[in-house]
Amino acid sequence: MHMPLSADQDWQRRVMERAKELDHQHRRRTRGLWQSTLGLALSLRFLRTAARQLVTAPRRSEPRRVGHPGPGQIAVTFVGHATVMLTTPLARVLTDPYLGDFFLGLRRAEGACLHPADAADLNVILISHAHRDRLDLTSLRRLKGRAAVLVPPRCASLVDGLGFARVIELAPGQSFEYADVEVTAVAARHEGGRGLFDSAWRGACGYIVRSAGASVYFAGGTAYFSGFEEIGRRLHPDVALLPVAGYQPPALRAINMSPLDAVQAFTDLGAKLLVPVGYGSFPLGYEPLGEPLRWLRQICADRGISDQLAVLGHGETCLVRAGSQE
Ligand SMILES: [Zn+2]
């Protein structure tokens, strides 16, 4: 007998169908390549990229101070990799600070761009998870001071003792307030561990930053998952800062998103502006450094949503207000 699906079952079925469709599209894109020893070709290309970067100094942009915006606005400044500064009328928030030029022996292609006066003026620092490109002790020591550092569950011990006013663990669903900013932690699909030799089970979070009606979602590190639709339905972010790199070889899609995954996440969220992050600095996957952005631009053009994509250069700022952006 045919039983009608409940609303919840129907939602689960739709999410599974979407994930399967994404898998199918990724397989179609790489099928021919994998059959012709793509694995070996990709690793050789990765090594060549890493070696070339070692002897090439990072490109640098001149950092400019970012002023506090007017009421109801948030200034979104791309610092580099997954580091973004959010400036509200009364506060400054920085995500996953990585300010150095090297990561595990890899030299970055473009230097972090953050004015020292703004770096000294931070109120809240958000850490999405304990991977070393997101929770970087050297960068945090440079920023120590009066800021509160928000970390996922079981990560506070890594930051305690670095010299911050407060270190607070936020689990998904919990919030923190400072001046005109409210930060709410949300779920992410990622591994939370520090590295191969870290046996602790650590959490991984995204964050919604809200100020006077305008809101920005920093997804942290995450694979595509059903949580995007729920985050969109419950918290209605205006802007989505989504990671778009580290998707080759395909097994990495268990923890990271490709541009195709990120555009589906953006659609699920119902956000108005997509700002890609986490690409172009370090080769963290086997894909070429410039590929994520090229592919993302192509997808957005094909779907007629290029006007909803904001690719920010290092140090570049865009202004967001509730329900829109400039
Ligand atoms: Zn990670």
Side-chain angles (χ1 to χ4, degrees), residues 129 131 133-134 190-191 221 256:
H129 60 284
H131 282 167
D133 64 316
R134 305 303 191 99
H190 204 67
E191 299 169 337
N256 293 334

Side-chain angles (χ1 to χ4, degrees), residues 1 5 9 12 46 63 68-69 80 118 158 186 214 220 228 230 258 279 283 295-296 317:
M1 192 172 71
L5 293 176
Q9 286 171 322
Q12 284 180 8
F46 174 82
H68 288 276
D118 291 344
L158 299 168
V186 294
F228 292 117
E230 199 187 328
S258 75
Y279 65 91
W295 189 12
L296 179 64
T317 297

Side-chain angles (χ1 to χ4, degrees), residues 115-146:
H115 195 283
D118 291 344
D121 186 39
L122 297 171
N123 305 108
V124 184
I125 295 173
L126 306 179
I127 302 290
S128 67
H129 60 284
H131 282 167
R132 287 164 195 272
D133 64 316
R134 305 303 191 99
L135 195 166
D136 177 48
L137 297 177
T138 309
S139 301
L140 287 172
R141 284 193 191 97
R142 277 169 65 179
L143 298 171
K144 69 182 179 201
R146 64 196 172 99

Side-chain angles (χ1 to χ4, degrees), residues 7-317:
D8 194 42
Q9 286 171 322
D10 188 46
W11 177 70
Q12 284 180 8
R13 187 187 54 77
R14 275 191 296 119
V15 169
M16 272 178 56
E17 287 298 321
R18 236 176 309 172
K20 271 194 327 210
E21 174 61 24
L22 280 172
D23 287 348
H24 173 68
Q25 288 185 39
H26 282 89
R27 270 200 306 274
R28 226 178 39 192
R29 186 167 187 269
T30 51
R31 190 186 298 136
L33 295 166
W34 280 102
Q35 281 169 354
S36 54
T37 62
L38 175 72
L40 180 63
L42 278 178
S43 12
L44 289 175
R45 192 171 62 189
F46 174 82
L47 289 173
R48 205 177 57 214
T49 305
R52 197 184 307 132
Q53 273 188 227
L54 272 182
V55 294
T56 313
R59 292 188 299 279
R60 296 210 184 276
S61 310
E62 191 61 38
R64 283 175 298 191
R65 283 219 70 177
V66 178
H68 288 276
Q73 298 180 334
I74 303 178
V76 178
T77 307
F78 184 56
V79 175
H81 191 48
T83 312
V84 177
M85 182 170 69
L86 306 175
T87 308
T88 70
L90 300 176
R92 277 186 209 281
V93 180
L94 194 70
T95 68
D96 286 348
Y98 201 101
L99 306 176
D101 281 349
F102 287 91
F103 173 70
L104 300 179
L106 301 168
R107 194 175 191 178
R108 80 191 283 168
E110 189 150 0
C113 187
L114 177 65
H115 195 283
D118 291 344
D121 186 39
L122 297 171
N123 305 108
V124 184
I125 295 173
L126 306 179
I127 302 290
S128 67
H129 60 284
H131 282 167
R132 287 164 195 272
D133 64 316
R134 305 303 191 99
L135 195 166
D136 177 48
L137 297 177
T138 309
S139 301
L140 287 172
R141 284 193 191 97
R142 277 169 65 179
L143 298 171
K144 69 182 179 201
R146 64 196 172 99
V149 185
L150 308 187
V151 298
R154 292 167 295 280
C155 291
S157 60
L158 299 168
V159 181
D160 280 336
L162 293 182
F164 288 97
R166 284 186 288 176
V167 179
I168 299 158
E169 290 187 348
L170 275 196
Q174 294 183 323
S175 296
F176 170 85
E177 287 182 28
Y178 174 86
D180 60 349
V181 168
E182 182 191 35
V183 179
T184 304
V186 294
R189 189 176 140 200
H190 204 67
E191 299 169 337
R194 186 96 179 111
L196 283 180
F197 303 107
D198 183 15
S199 58
W201 187 83
R202 304 186 193 277
C205 287
Y207 298 96
I208 299 270
V209 177
R210 191 176 299 280
S211 178
S215 56
V216 177
Y217 166 46
F218 172 63
T222 184
Y224 176 76
F225 74 132
S226 60
F228 292 117
E229 192 174 313
E230 199 187 328
I231 291 165
R233 196 170 52 228
R234 284 178 34 231
L235 298 162
H236 310 289
D238 297 308
V239 178
L241 310 176
L242 300 178
V244 297
Y247 51 84
Q248 287 283 20
L252 282 179
R253 284 186 58 241
I255 56 166
N256 293 334
M257 289 201 286
S258 75
L260 195 56
D261 296 319
V263 170
Q264 184 61 54
F266 176 66
T267 308
D268 293 0
L269 286 160
K272 290 158 195 89
L273 194 69
L274 165 56
V275 179
V277 301
Y279 65 91
S281 284
F282 305 108
L284 298 181
Y286 280 178
E287 73 274 2
L289 271 181
E291 183 184 277
L293 216 48
R294 277 197 301 275
W295 189 12
L296 179 64
R297 284 193 161 113
Q298 184 63 52
I299 298 165
C300 289
D302 291 347
R303 298 188 184 186
I305 56 167
S306 295
D307 57 337
Q308 291 183 277
L309 174 66
V311 176
L312 300 179
H314 286 61
E316 193 181 344
T317 297

